[in-house]
Structure formats: structure tokens, C-alpha cells
């Protein structure tokens, strides 16, 4: 296994406070995703070019209020702090997801503010 990092360079939200970026093809197990933000923003991350789109953070978007590392979650949603929800809620357990596709980052934030991300994965 080889440890790899896919980086999304600094992006600026447009006049509507939106932004999207598609990464190169990621082949392997996603270990974590780090967001760097200078304002609270909401992100949804999903695979593209797959027969079935895999939504990395569950069924909805995750709100990132400060620069932080998030682990992907297959079922359920992240809470607002990104912390694990505990063993009593197995439906929301963290899961390392294997993919073989580019990732589409859809972001909503504040006009003219910036964000970037790093995807750490094993190839």
C-alpha cells in the first residue's frame, strides 16, 4: 500500500457563495479529508464516473466551521463538531471507504471567502 494525498488548491466562493471542484481519479481507501476554511462552509463530497455515486459523508452535507480533519462516514451524518457519535450509535460509525473514481466537492459558503482540502488515502 502507498499513502497518497490529493490536494485541492485554494478555491474562492463565487458571487452566489457556491463552488465545485472535481479531483483526479482516486483509487484506494480514503483515510481522512482535511478542510481548510476561513469561514464556516458546507460541503458535500461524492464520487463521479461510477455506476453508483458514493456520498462520502452520508446522505447530506457536512458543515465545517474551522480548519479540521474529517473521517468519511458511509451511513448517517457527521455532527457539527465532526466528532464520533459513540459506540451506542453504530449507524453513524466511521468507515474508511474504498473508491475508484474522482470526487466532486460541492461547497456553499460566503462570497469571496476561500477554502481548500486534502484527501489522504491508501493506494
Amino acid at each position: 500500500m502507498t499513502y497518497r494525498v490529493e490536494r485541492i488548491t485554494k478555491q474562492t466562493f463565487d458571487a452566489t457563495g457556491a463552488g465545485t471542484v472535481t479531483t483526479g481519479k482516486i483509487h484506494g481507501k480514503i483515510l481522512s479529508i482535511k478542510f481548510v476554511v476561513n469561514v464556516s462552509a458546507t460541503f458535500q463530497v461524492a464520487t463521479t464516473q461510477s455506476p453508483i455515486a458514493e456520498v462520502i459523508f452520508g446522505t447530506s452535507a457536512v458543515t465545517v466551521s474551522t480548519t479540521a480533519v474529517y473521517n468519511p462516514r458511509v451511513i448517517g451524518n457527521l455532527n457539527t463538531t465532526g466528532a464520533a457519535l459513540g459506540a451506542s450509535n453504530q449507524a453513524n460509525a466511521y468507515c474508511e471507504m474504498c473508491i475508484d473514481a474522482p470526487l466532486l466537492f460541492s461547497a456553499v459558503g460566503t462570497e469571496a471567502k476561500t477554502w481548500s482540502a486534502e484527501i489522504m488515502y491508501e493506494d
Side-chain angles (χ1 to χ4, degrees):
M1 294 290 189
T2 303
Y3 179 81
R4 298 192 187 276
V5 178
E6 176 84 13
R7 291 180 174 85
I8 295 175
T9 59
K10 188 183 288 187
Q11 304 292 309
T12 302
F13 290 109
D14 65 18
T16 65
T20 60
V21 172
T22 302
T23 68
K25 186 175 186 178
I26 294 176
H27 173 80
K29 179 171 58 173
I30 298 175
L31 303 174
S32 65
I33 298 176
K34 178 180 183 179
F35 292 96
V36 178
V37 296
N38 67 355
V39 67
S40 181
T42 302
F43 295 90
Q44 186 166 35
V45 183
T47 59
T48 64
Q49 301 176 3
S50 299
I52 300 171
E54 297 286 349
V55 180
I56 303 303
F57 293 116
T59 57
S60 67
V62 59
T63 299
V64 179
S65 56
T66 60
T67 297
V69 174
Y70 290 86
N71 287 307
R73 191 184 287 279
V74 177
I75 300 172
N77 305 315
L78 290 171
N79 65 14
T80 55
T81 66
L85 297 179
S88 63
N89 190 349
Q90 293 300 312
N92 289 302
Y94 284 120
C95 180
E96 295 174 338
M97 180 182 284
C98 294
I99 65 169
D100 186 28
L103 289 176
L104 172 64
F105 281 70
S106 298
V108 177
T110 304
E111 178 185 359
K113 298 296 184 178
T114 61
W115 67 277
S116 61
E118 290 184 344
I119 303 102
M120 284 64 76
Y121 67 100
E122 281 184 355
D123 192 2

